[in-house]
Amino acid sequence: MKGTVTVDEALCKGCGLCTGVCPKGLLALSTRFSTRGYHPVELVDPDDLCTGCELCSVICPEAAFTVFRERAAA
Amino acid sequence: MKGTVTVDEALCKGCGLCTGVCPKGLLALSTRFSTRGYHPVELVDPDDLCTGCELCSVICPEAAFTVFRERAAA
Amino acid sequence: MARALLKGNVAFAEAAVRAGCEAYFGYPITPQTEALEHMAKRMPELGRAFVQAESEVAAINMVYGAATAGVRVMTSSSSPGVSLMMEGLSYIAGTRVPAVLVDVMRGGPGLGNIAPAQSDYAQMVRGGPHGDMKMIVLAPATVQELIDLTVEAFDLAERYRCITVVLADGSLGQMMEPAELPPMRTPRAADERPAWALTGARGREPHALTSIYLDPEQEEAYNLELQATYRAIEAAEVRYVEERLEGARIAVVAFGTAGRLSLTAIDAARAEGIEVGLFRPVSLYPFPEERLRQLAERVDALLVVEMNAGQMIDDVRRVTRERVPIRFYGRTGGVVPMPEEVLEAIRGLHAELVREEAVA
Amino acid sequence: MARALLKGNVAFAEAAVRAGCEAYFGYPITPQTEALEHMAKRMPELGRAFVQAESEVAAINMVYGAATAGVRVMTSSSSPGVSLMMEGLSYIAGTRVPAVLVDVMRGGPGLGNIAPAQSDYAQMVRGGPHGDMKMIVLAPATVQELIDLTVEAFDLAERYRCITVVLADGSLGQMMEPAELPPMRTPRAADERPAWALTGARGREPHALTSIYLDPEQEEAYNLELQATYRAIEAAEVRYVEERLEGARIAVVAFGTAGRLSLTAIDAARAEGIEVGLFRPVSLYPFPEERLRQLAERVDALLVVEMNAGQMIDDVRRVTRERVPIRFYGRTGGVVPMPEEVLEAIRGLHAELVREEAVA
Amino acid sequence: MQSEIVISGFGGQGALFAGQLLAYTALDAGLHTTWFPSYGPEMRGGTAHCTTIVSDAPIGSPVVRHPRAAVVMNLPSLERYEPLVKAGGVLVVNSSIVERHVQRTDLQVLRVPGDDVAQELGDGKVTNLVLVGALLTRLPVLELEQVKRTLEHVIPERRRNLLAMNLQALERGAALADPLAAAV
Amino acid sequence: MQSEIVISGFGGQGALFAGQLLAYTALDAGLHTTWFPSYGPEMRGGTAHCTTIVSDAPIGSPVVRHPRAAVVMNLPSLERYEPLVKAGGVLVVNSSIVERHVQRTDLQVLRVPGDDVAQELGDGKVTNLVLVGALLTRLPVLELEQVKRTLEHVIPERRRNLLAMNLQALERGAALADPLAAAV
Amino acid sequence: MTVPTLTPRLTPVVSYPEALAPTPTHYCPGCTHGIAHRLVAEVIDELGIREDTIGVASVGCSVFAYNYFAVDFAQAPHGRAPALATGIKRTSPDKLVFTYQGDGDLASIGSAEILHAAARGENITVVFLNNAIYGMTGGQMAPTTLPGQRTTSSPAGRDPATQGYPLRMSELLAQVDGAAYVARRSLHDVANIRRAKKALRKAFEVQQQGLGFAMVELLSSCPTNWGLSAQDSLEYIRDVMVPAYPLGEFKVPETEGREAR
Amino acid sequence: MTVPTLTPRLTPVVSYPEALAPTPTHYCPGCTHGIAHRLVAEVIDELGIREDTIGVASVGCSVFAYNYFAVDFAQAPHGRAPALATGIKRTSPDKLVFTYQGDGDLASIGSAEILHAAARGENITVVFLNNAIYGMTGGQMAPTTLPGQRTTSSPAGRDPATQGYPLRMSELLAQVDGAAYVARRSLHDVANIRRAKKALRKAFEVQQQGLGFAMVELLSSCPTNWGLSAQDSLEYIRDVMVPAYPLGEFKVPETEGREAR
Ligand SMILES: Cc1ncc(C[n+]2csc(CCOP(=O)(O)OP(=O)(O)O)c2C)c(N)n1
Ligand SMILES: Cc1ncc(C[n+]2csc(CCOP(=O)(O)OP(=O)(O)O)c2C)c(N)n1
Ligand code: SF4
Ligand code: SF4
Ligand code: SF4
Ligand code: SF4
Ligand code: SF4
Ligand code: SF4
Ligand SMILES: [Mg+2]
Ligand SMILES: [Mg+2]
């Protein structure tokens, strides 16, 4: 299955919890500072590996993720 | 075994609980009023039936009883 | 409604019911328990909320909760129980939700006793709960007033979104006197609750009722609002009763039971030719400052009578600037002063005045 | 002891330790938590009693218990926590056992905030707990005073068998300042506890420590004893600080942090040629009535500065009988007034006086 | 005119109800009235007393030190109230259990064997009304007939079956009062 | 003479410790001093600031609206304190992350690249001391050498191993200050 | 008290406990508060600790307990006796400290204090009188009032739907790690009274051994507010309360055996 | 928030819950308070009750919960949220009322209020965050702090001998008859978070069905005061807290089955 995620940078606090749960290892903290002074997480997925499995969104304490998934054949 | 009891009238409130537990039925509320306005209990034991079994003293909420018993042969 | 012989505690409870009180939360304590017992029967009967709380702390916080829901809610208690409500009262004030408390004072401090006293004047009027807050405090002297002020307490609490306290003493709770209960008001329907209430954010933005403002500037702004409300209350809600003050040289100042007791003494003194009258503050907060100050311009002396060691007298001193001599007669610890004792105090003060005139 | 840079909360806790405090019971609350934390470390280290209670209600009652055992005992808290202690405080007063409370006030009412405030003056000085009771209330303005008054609080509490409150505000708890701690006193041995204490009735009649006197006459007798103690306290324990009052036309009246803040403003005003000084009550109860009344005879106006909406000012009004104009400058909700603001208020009052003179 | 009546006895002797009955009657008679109890733990076992005030004008204090009348149902009550009743006032004594005689000579004293009469009527619990019946003969403010009418509607539900006996108690007390008063 | 110094930055930038260091130094120098923090939840994440006052006379207010000097370690701090510093006072700006220039012309402004120097020294956590070092060159009340001596005994145990670096930070800040001040 | 002329062979085997003050109590006739007092006093006497014991009275009918025991006593605010006891015990660890509390006091307003005293393993003894009612204030519902039981604040009988269910405090507190000994006994007849005494003794011994929190709940009567005779009240305990509040030892120190029910 | 250009076939499957206000929280990075918030919001959304729900915030780090939920909210004094909830629910029986409380709030100062809300079978839902510490005040010992755990008020590690034993509130409250649903879940990994959500949903459904008191205890992290990274904190929950606080459903309505652990 194919998917992707977006992270709301206004919410992300760079806690890194999502980076630990992504089965594909697609999430990494950036070195940038967000406006609130955190290093926000970024999706690094050049090969479109994200499955939209939602794990990142389940563990995120800030509800920062929107997860997208391929619509099942319909 | 032989025994007897005394009742401290200043303490007895005439609740009647002791009258119910005496196995020999030796306790009865008098019709007199005590100085505190209660009908105190009296030992009615003309035939010396009291065994000093203590039951009356165990149930008395006012610790009004002194129980005496025959000293065991010694 | 015809007049009926009513016990104070039952009277104020039933008055609250008729004023549309929708929820009562309380904890038994003598000498106000009959009120809780009355509510235990009446409220469920009418389909309204009654909970015997696990403590006064819980009771006042149930009141707080119901108040945020926008209903008419009350509790009643007595001195030690009221002490336990201080934090809750401060939150209620800090959230600006309306609530009614009837405090039937007893002898203190500590566990004290269950006899009538007025020794919680300072607590209720000046500074029981923490923070810059005030509660409207109404002091009835008769069962009828107890009824009427209880009804009014609900209206005032809602009008100003504040706490209104009916401050009675044990004797008023326990005595019987003919009085008339108000007609039954229909409680507000659920959809008529005030706009600020928590009713579920149906078709509107959600809102929160809170008393925390971490930013001092914001907290100060909130406090200024509160203070503005207090100024409004002070301007509009002063209540007092004056009796036999026409041409009086001496004014007895006394509230509640002490007031009505004094009246008997005053009549006796008048029969002896002493020109004395009664000034009875009914609203202890707002205190009838203006009127009392004027009174102090007219009379030669004031006698403050309280069932405590002297609490309201400090306000009398402040307000009148001690323009005239102020004397005190009080009994503490639950002793109800006899009118004969007050008469004696009036005579003493009168003699003092006469002596002074003789000197002058 | 050398002077060290000490944080207020740690300073008073360590001062208590050195004053021989044998037991501390408390519950965390900002801005005094460092005191509890200091005690959590120090007391067990010294083999003394420390319990983090389940609540302030429990804490004050543990204090009550330890006080009946005749030991030096204290608690500390802040506004909402102190509100929860009202019943316990009344019992302690009603039992005449000594106890010390340090109240590090924060912005209110309700949950408010954790910024510094003085808005619990009325609660602590005039009428927090129920019943005719008083607590000695001491208001430090510097960390050194906080230390010294904490030590003194234990002595006063024992001397009069009463509650002594050290009333500070958040800023005093949080700030650091050089100060000297007292030397370590050895706590009393177990067999040196006072005669009235509960120590097990070894070789003597058992005694009870209680605050209930069902018979009003008895309760009244007890109350008269209490009142006599209060008169003794009023006669002997008045404390205040006067600064720059020599020849002053204006006196600023302010306690605690407001007092020290005002001093900076006063110096600035003096630099501008305004003759102004500071009257700083240190004992809020007993209030320095006599001295303040005399002061009001000497100056042309008073400026009361408080970190609240105006609480002590009522006592200033009462005591001075408003012989001279009394103005107020206050900030609420945890806002610490800047000396510049106080200076502005002094200037305003000065201008008022000058205008009046021009008219006269 | 204001009359203050204290009724005092052991808890359980019905002092409080007797005082209430007078207050209810006063209300029915269109008069002002207050009823003021002593309350509290002393009610259990100890002495119970109350003050009823009846007046044609609004009532200030619901208690007075010197009442116009006192009904004393036991010895402690006599000890307490004999010195307090106003000179010329009424003192009704339950002579069934109070043996001591009244010392004061400036009172109208009625010694009524309340308990005996009550026993006669078949219920120890009406002593209070026997004494009140007697009192009423010396207290012009409330009429016996009015008290009886009031009693009919204020008697507690659980004692309604004893109404007749209660009314008799009042009447017997009243009937006993005259000669007794003379005998003082 | 009284000097008020405000130090302000993000929580974690060490503003509070820097202020305490000045107070400790003042104590060691036999001067009067107070240290007054802002505290509370804002400490977590938000801005932390404190006021240290140093004086040769007892200190009244531990806070003032218009301090003699301010060390601002981030932009919000500059926004807040630029308008407040007394005319003629000192404003030390952490130019590493504060890009905006100071508008006021009546201040002695020191733009010090605190973070850069700190990184150079090998620990981002000494920005505060770099800036304080700079400040000291314009604040005659406390001497750099005294501050260094005080630091040696007040440095927290867990940072003692970094003492040398901390001392360097102070020195580097001071060294940078002169030319920078000229460049304003 | 008149002592009868005795045959010389009759000697006293039960007499007034030394730890009980020679004072008539204010309890209603037949109220089992009095039995509980006597049992505690007997235990104190038997352990010989009268001069080392400090009691804490609560608010309830037993508020004057301090008048009835010949030991030092404090009197606590309603519900707070365990907090006072904590303050006393922590500063007088060599004394034996006990509280005497009613069910309103312990299970309602004081439920936080008792729970935390237990959780802290506070080394005190708690005597807990459960009479399923607020005795002193005239018979209001307690947390222990049984479903359907009429009280002045549950005039139609306690309705669990709006007034909740009874709390079984012994079972609850036995769950807490700091509790060393928790037992429920009843005062409704001689055999049970004797068992109650044993439990009380154990509760004091546990404290002597420093094992932690010990509590004995005693099912007790309130003839006055139950509207029953003294005798009927005991039967009510037996027939109605015991089934709802099972007797037993719910927690015993690990070193000790459990007493059979 | 920048939405990337999406291939048309990608549709959002998880997005920001409607019941969560679009506001950044003040919680520390990695603090699981945030996860609990999201779960509650998702349950509210799924049940479609956002406009019929009233929350009660407590005192603790979650004091500002009212800013973060898009539902009506009250804010209670420390420990008293169940009392406020009682006042609200009794006067608004058609609303869904929940409290959100920390362990200091619920298990320490508020232990009487929670116990009695449970005993009354108060028809409310309690979300109970157990992080074994007082977060907001800077890391003091809570009643739930584990033996040996260092906090600012147990600097040498909690010593049960003087500081007592941890309280297991779920087990305790499950004993109470008025409790309808009591479960403990953990927020330390994805699987457990999903379980936690199910429990929360059940706790709201129990209220909808009027079955009585429902509580979900959530083992939660406090990276700041534990002095651990966000990630290590989750491992601490898993390795240290879960063994001390077993997960499970301790009470389920009679009509329902128990969810397997
Ligand atoms: C703070 C406070 N609230 C209420 C009271 C009133 N009060 C006195 S005793 C009591 C109940 C006692 O019941 P319980 O503990 O069961 O003891 P019992 O009288 O039944 O033995 C109450 C509510 C009080 N004294 N203090
Ligand atoms: C009456 C009162 N006492 C104490 C406090 C201080 N206080 C605020 S939060 C808190 C502890 C909160 O801990 P917890 O409930 O575990 O929540 P957490 O912050 O860990 O989520 C305390 C003691 C207060 N606000 N009110
Ligand atoms: S949805 Fe799954 S695969 Fe995609 S980023 Fe999140 S955890 Fe990784
Ligand atoms: S879990 Fe959430 S807050 Fe944490 S780094 Fe990932 S997106 Fe940011
Ligand atoms: S001792 Fe036994 S036999 Fe004697 S009176 Fe008592 S109960 Fe009866
Ligand atoms: S049990 Fe005691 S109080 Fe009751 S009647 Fe017998 S002796 Fe008297
Ligand atoms: S009221 Fe009940 S508990 Fe209290 S003394 Fe009387 S019978 Fe005993
Ligand atoms: S202090 Fe702890 S509980 Fe509070 S927000 Fe930070 S991590 Fe969460
Ligand atoms: Mg009971
Ligand atoms: Mg917590």
Side-chain angles (χ1 to χ4, degrees), chain D residues 128-296:
Chain D
H130 66 278
D132 279 303
M133 57 161 286
K134 291 279 176 191
M135 307 182 281
I136 297 179
V137 182
L138 305 175
T142 64
V143 172
Q144 188 65 57
E145 259 185 24
L146 177 57
I147 290 169
D148 297 344
L149 293 177
T150 300
V151 173
E152 220 173 326
F154 284 98
D155 296 333
L156 290 172
E158 273 175 7
R159 185 168 322 139
Y160 296 101
R161 290 179 61 180
C162 70
I163 299 161
T164 304
V165 179
V166 177
L167 190 67
D169 63 77
S171 50
L172 209 47
Q174 295 297 323
M175 73 183 280
M176 293 177 92
E177 200 168 25
E180 192 173 330
L181 285 162
M184 192 73 148
R185 286 197 219 170
T186 332
R188 225 182 349 230
D191 57 6
E192 286 167 359
R193 295 191 181 167
W196 49 258
L198 305 180
T199 52
R202 189 160 287 281
R204 60 158 170 79
E205 285 297 296
H207 50 230
L209 290 171
T210 181
S211 72
I212 173 170
Y213 299 96
L214 267 198
D215 174 9
E217 307 275 349
Q218 228 186 315
E219 180 76 56
E220 181 170 58
Y222 179 77
N223 265 288
L224 293 176
E225 243 182 70
L226 273 186
Q227 293 298 320
T229 305
Y230 299 148
R231 292 307 86 76
I233 290 171
E234 287 159 14
E237 305 301 346
V238 167
R239 284 159 175 74
Y240 53 86
V241 168
E242 296 179 328
E243 311 238 28
R244 332 275 199 268
L245 278 179
E246 209 58 54
R249 293 193 56 196
I250 296 175
V252 175
V253 185
F255 69 95
T257 295
R260 70 181 291 168
L261 281 166
S262 298
L263 202 56
T264 300
I266 286 165
D267 284 342
R270 287 204 154 253
E272 293 176 10
I274 302 177
E275 291 148 319
V276 53
L278 174 70
F279 185 81
R280 178 160 68 81
V282 173
S283 57
L284 302 183
Y285 178 80
F287 197 68
E289 308 210 344
E290 211 30 56
R291 188 71 183 182
L292 185 56
R293 190 172 296 133
Q294 288 162 7
L295 180 64

Side-chain angles (χ1 to χ4, degrees), chain C residues 3-53:
Chain C
R3 280 155 64 87
L5 192 68
L6 295 171
K7 186 165 199 177
N9 282 335
V10 173
F12 82 70
E14 181 60 23
V17 168
R18 293 170 184 230
C21 174
E22 296 162 74
Y24 176 97
F25 305 97
Y27 189 77
I29 186 168
T30 315
Q32 67 76 49
T33 304
E34 294 94 341
L36 174 135
E37 291 172 345
H38 185 78
M39 290 310 221
K41 199 170 127 282
R42 285 289 275 157
M43 298 296 275
E45 202 168 277
L46 294 164
R48 307 187 194 171
F50 168 87
V51 177
Q52 180 178 320

Side-chain angles (χ1 to χ4, degrees), chain E residues 44, chain G residues 26-28 31-33 61 131 135-136 221-225:
Chain E
R44 215 170 281 147
Chain G
H26 70 289
Y27 298 113
C28 306
C31 172
T32 51
H33 264 301
C61 281
N131 58 9
M136 187 186 218
S221 72
C222 179
T224 300
N225 289 302

Side-chain angles (χ1 to χ4, degrees), chain H residues 1-228:
Chain H
M1 182 175 144
T2 53
V3 178
T5 353
L6 296 168
T7 59
R9 280 163 35 251
L10 287 178
T11 53
V13 287
V14 174
S15 49
Y16 201 81
E18 211 193 324
L20 214 53
T23 320
T25 69
H26 70 289
Y27 298 113
C28 306
C31 172
T32 50
H33 264 302
I35 300 181
H37 278 37
R38 198 195 64 234
L39 298 184
V40 170
E42 287 175 0
V43 166
I44 290 173
D45 284 354
E46 288 173 16
L47 296 176
I49 55 173
R50 194 184 67 78
E51 295 185 332
D52 290 312
T53 297
I54 300 174
V56 183
S58 61
V59 180
C61 281
S62 55
V63 63
F64 296 119
Y66 57 79
N67 284 331
Y68 308 144
F69 286 100
V71 306
D72 273 12
F73 244 90
Q75 196 292 316
H78 196 26
R80 321 302 176 193
L84 266 84
T86 299
I88 296 171
K89 184 74 186 185
R90 294 282 179 137
T91 53
S92 312
D94 55 330
K95 302 295 172 221
L96 288 145
V97 179
F98 76 100
T99 70
Y100 187 106
Q101 304 178 254
D103 47 344
D105 192 84
L106 181 142
S108 190
I109 192 169
S111 42
E113 285 73 16
I114 198 71
L115 175 64
H116 285 273
R120 281 194 305 272
E122 210 59 64
N123 200 25
I124 58 171
T125 299
V126 173
V127 182
F128 167 34
L129 273 266
N130 178 358
N131 58 9
I133 206 144
Y134 284 28
M136 189 189 217
T137 42
Q140 296 77 32
M141 187 182 77
T144 44
T145 293
L146 296 172
Q149 186 181 336
R150 271 174 216 275
T151 70
T152 59
S153 60
S154 59
R158 182 179 190 166
D159 174 7
T162 57
Q163 302 186 296
Y165 296 84
L167 279 174
R168 289 181 296 275
M169 292 306 291
S170 287
E171 286 85 336
L172 217 60
L173 294 175
Q175 305 292 316
V176 173
D177 286 342
Y181 181 69
V182 179
R184 183 184 291 118
R185 293 292 177 221
S186 173
L187 300 175
H188 70 268
D189 64 21
V190 168
N192 277 284
I193 293 170
R194 288 187 161 142
R195 282 240 171 93
K197 182 168 162 189
K198 273 195 205 147
L200 287 167
R201 185 174 169 130
K202 230 187 220 180
F204 275 91
E205 286 169 346
V206 161
Q207 185 182 165
Q208 286 184 311
Q209 293 155 37
L211 298 177
F213 181 85
M215 176 174 99
V216 180
E217 173 174 349
L218 298 171
L219 300 184
S220 189
S221 72
C222 179
T224 300
N225 289 302
W226 292 355
L228 296 175

Side-chain angles (χ1 to χ4, degrees), chain C residues 274-350:
Chain C
I274 302 175
E275 289 147 319
V276 53
L278 174 70
F279 183 81
R280 178 159 68 81
V282 172
S283 57
L284 302 183
Y285 177 80
F287 196 69
E289 308 210 344
E290 212 30 55
R291 187 72 183 181
L292 184 57
R293 191 172 294 133
Q294 287 161 8
L295 179 64
E297 310 274 327
R298 291 199 273 126
V299 297
D300 295 333
L302 298 173
L303 173 68
V304 177
V305 178
E306 300 184 65
M307 283 152 63
N308 60 40
Q311 299 196 0
M312 180 180 68
I313 190 172
D314 275 356
D315 287 319
V316 175
R317 286 205 182 98
R318 173 176 56 81
V319 161
T320 62
R321 297 170 189 151
E322 302 186 51
R323 244 195 70 92
V324 291
I326 302 177
R327 298 292 173 265
F328 179 71
Y329 187 75
R331 298 297 303 265
T332 65
V335 176
V336 179
M338 291 289 157
E340 288 87 344
E341 301 165 38
V342 178
L343 173 60
E344 208 44 62
I346 294 171
R347 284 187 191 133
L349 178 49
H350 183 248

